[in-house]
Amino acid sequence: MFEKISVNSLKYKTSELPNIPTNECVLPALTAGIQNQGLNNYVPRDNATILKNVISISANGANTGATFYQSKEFTVLQDAYAIKWIYTDEKLSDNSYIFLTSSIHKTIYGNYEWTNKAGWERIKNDKIKLPTKNGKIDFDFMESFIAELEAERVAELEAERVAELSAYLKVSGYDNYELSDEELDALQKFEMLEWSSFNLKDLFGQSTRGKRLKGADRISGTLPFVTAGEADEGISAYISNDVEVFEKNTTTIDMFGSAKYRNYKYGADDHIAVVHTEKLPKYASIFVTTAIHKSSHNGQFNYGKNFYAKDADELFIQLPVKNGTPDFETMELLISSVHKLVIKDVVLYSDKKIAATKKIVSDN
C-alpha cells in the first residue's frame, strides 16, 4: 500500500542548522526527533527533495517508529524517511492520511528500538488494521471518523472555555470580567496616587506568632497547617490537632519574610507571623499583603536571621492615601481590576486556542 520516497541526500550537520527559519534556511527538515513532528531544523531549498502530504517515520533513536502525517512542505534530513500511498490511483484526503498514520503508528511504535530500528525494510511487511466495506477499504468512514473527532475536539475546547470562565468568575465573586467605571478610573489614576509609609502594628495591632508542632505529632485532618516555604503556599500538612486557629482574610509572613494572603482558616508553626488584616475588605487585604511582601522579602531575612512577629510589628509598608489615611477603597478597586484583567487574559487565550484548532481543522 505504501512505498518509500527517494530523496536527495543532504550533507548538513544538524548542529549547524537553525531551529527557526532564516533568510537562507526556510524548508523544514525531518530528523528522528518527536518534537514538532520531527521537523526540528531548517535547510535551504536548493537540492532538497520537497515533499508534502505524505507520512514520515522516525528510523532511529528512542523515538524510532514515531509516525506523523506531514501536510506542509518539508524534506528529509537524516535518521527518518517518508512514505506515500500507492494502493489506489485516487488522491487521498488529509483525513484519510491522518487515519492511516494513526494505524501505522499504533502498529510499529513501541515495537522497535535502538537495536531493532524501524527502517523501511523492517516495517514494510507489517500489517495495519483499516475499516472495510464490501471488501474494500472504507475511505468514506475514515473521512467522517476523523472529521467527527476534530469536531469533538473543538466542542471540548469550547466547553472547557465556558467552564474555566464560570469557575474563575465564581471564585472571584464576579458576574463578568468587564471593568466597572470605578475600576477603570482607579487604573487610569494609578500613577497619580499619593503614597505614605505606615507601621503594621499601628494599622492592625500586634502580630501573632504560631506555635511549633513537630511533624511526628501532627494528626491528619482538614485544617491547613502553615510553615515556612513556597511549595503549596507553605501548607505542609492538614491537621486535626488542638492548635490556635487563625481567621481567614489575614496575612502570614514566614521566617524568610515571604508574605501570603490566606482566604481560609489555618494553623501555623513558630516560624510564621500572622498579621491581623481580617477586618479589611478582601481585596484591600490582598493589596496590603503585596505591600508587606515588598517590604519584608528583599533579602534581609534568611536562615541566619529569621523573621518573627516582633519584626512584623516594626515593619513599615507603603500604601496609597487619601486625606492622610490609607485609601483602602482604591486598593480594593485596583486588586479587583487586576483579577478581572487576568480572567480576561485567560479567556482570550482560550479563544485563541479554539480559533487555532478550528483553523487547523479547516486547513485539513
Side-chain angles (χ1 to χ4, degrees):
M1 292 188 291
F2 297 92
E3 69 177 5
K4 181 180 177 182
I5 303 173
S6 297
V7 298
N8 293 336
S9 177
L10 301 177
K11 303 302 182 182
Y12 306 111
K13 293 181 179 179
T14 55
S15 60
E16 299 173 350
L17 291 171
N19 298 115
I20 58 174
T22 65
N23 289 337
E24 181 182 0
C25 299
V26 296
L27 185 65
L30 180 71
T31 64
I34 199 169
Q35 299 297 321
N36 195 32
Q37 299 195 169
L39 304 173
N40 295 317
N41 298 97
Y42 288 82
V43 298
R45 294 177 70 92
D46 297 343
N47 198 42
T49 304
I50 299 175
L51 307 175
K52 182 181 178 181
N53 297 331
V54 295
I55 295 172
S56 70
I57 301 176
S58 170
N60 201 357
N63 300 311
T64 189
T67 309
F68 301 103
Y69 172 56
Q70 308 289 357
S71 61
K72 307 296 183 182
E73 287 187 347
F74 76 104
T75 193
V76 176
L77 184 58
Q78 63 184 40
D79 296 330
Y81 55 94
I83 61 175
K84 64 180 180 180
W85 177 261
I86 59 170
Y87 190 67
T88 62
D89 293 332
E90 60 185 297
K91 182 180 178 181
L92 296 187
S93 68
D94 288 325
N95 283 353
S96 292
Y97 257 121
I98 291 171
F99 193 105
L100 290 166
T101 300
S102 66
S103 296
I104 296 171
H105 185 86
K106 185 177 181 180
T107 297
I108 67 173
Y109 191 63
N111 292 326
Y112 294 88
E113 55 188 4
W114 284 94
T115 57
N116 184 32
K117 299 173 184 178
W120 178 241
E121 292 303 316
R122 282 200 177 103
I123 75 162
K124 67 181 182 180
N125 293 319
D126 287 353
K127 305 293 184 182
I128 63 173
K129 291 186 177 181
L130 298 175
T132 59
K133 185 177 182 180
N134 299 325
K136 295 182 179 180
I137 297 174
D138 193 349
F139 291 104
D140 289 338
F141 174 83
M142 295 185 195
E143 184 74 28
S144 61
F145 182 78
I146 297 299
E148 185 176 338
L149 287 180
E150 290 170 338
E152 286 179 0
R153 179 54 182 155
V154 171
E156 287 174 1
L157 289 173
E158 290 175 336
E160 288 173 5
R161 175 197 182 278
V162 172
E164 286 177 352
L165 176 58
S166 177
Y168 285 124
L169 291 177
K170 183 178 180 180
V171 169
S172 302
Y174 302 128
D175 293 325
N176 59 71
Y177 55 78
E178 297 300 331
L179 298 183
S180 67
D181 292 340
E182 293 81 3
E183 290 165 340
L184 281 170
D185 186 60
L187 286 177
Q188 291 168 354
K189 294 180 178 179
F190 179 80
E191 297 295 335
M192 296 181 286
L193 288 176
E194 181 183 352
W195 297 75
S196 190
S197 181
F198 295 92
N199 173 255
L200 275 187
K201 185 177 179 181
D202 291 342
L203 287 174
F204 308 113
Q206 191 170 17
S207 298
T208 304
R209 182 180 179 182
K211 293 184 179 180
R212 188 179 185 189
L213 182 63
K214 295 180 181 179
D217 297 331
R218 297 172 190 173
I219 304 170
S220 180
T222 59
L223 181 70
F225 190 68
V226 178
T227 58
E230 299 301 319
D232 296 323
E233 294 196 334
I235 297 175
S236 60
Y238 289 85
I239 64 171
S240 60
N241 299 71
D242 184 15
V243 298
E244 181 176 1
V245 177
F246 297 102
E247 290 297 318
K248 63 182 180 179
N249 200 45
T250 52
T251 299
T252 62
I253 312 175
D254 70 14
M255 60 189 286
F256 306 112
S258 181
K260 296 179 179 64
Y261 172 74
R262 308 287 174 181
N263 65 342
Y264 45 82
K265 292 185 177 182
Y266 57 94
D269 77 356
D270 58 343
H271 286 119
I272 298 297
V274 178
V275 182
H276 294 279
T277 56
E278 54 261 52
K279 292 183 180 180
L280 288 182
K282 175 182 176 181
Y283 291 140
S285 185
I286 293 173
F287 191 104
V288 167
T289 300
T290 63
I292 293 172
H293 188 82
K294 184 176 181 179
S295 181
S296 62
H297 194 252
N298 46 37
Q300 73 270 45
F301 298 101
N302 49 50
Y303 281 110
K305 183 184 179 182
N306 294 174
F307 186 100
Y308 292 112
K310 63 180 180 62
D311 296 302
D313 293 339
E314 298 172 358
L315 197 68
F316 282 81
I317 61 174
Q318 294 289 317
L319 296 175
V321 295
K322 185 176 183 180
N323 300 323
T325 61
D327 189 356
F328 292 118
E329 182 179 358
T330 293
M331 297 181 210
E332 284 187 85
L333 289 170
L334 288 171
I335 295 298
S336 177
S337 301
V338 171
H339 277 193
K340 287 186 176 181
L341 290 172
V342 170
I343 293 172
K344 186 175 183 179
D345 283 344
V346 171
V347 172
L348 292 176
Y349 172 77
S350 296
D351 288 345
K352 288 179 181 178
K353 184 166 63 173
I354 293 169
T357 302
K358 287 181 176 178
K359 185 177 187 304
I360 291 172
V361 171
S362 64
D363 287 347
N364 287 338

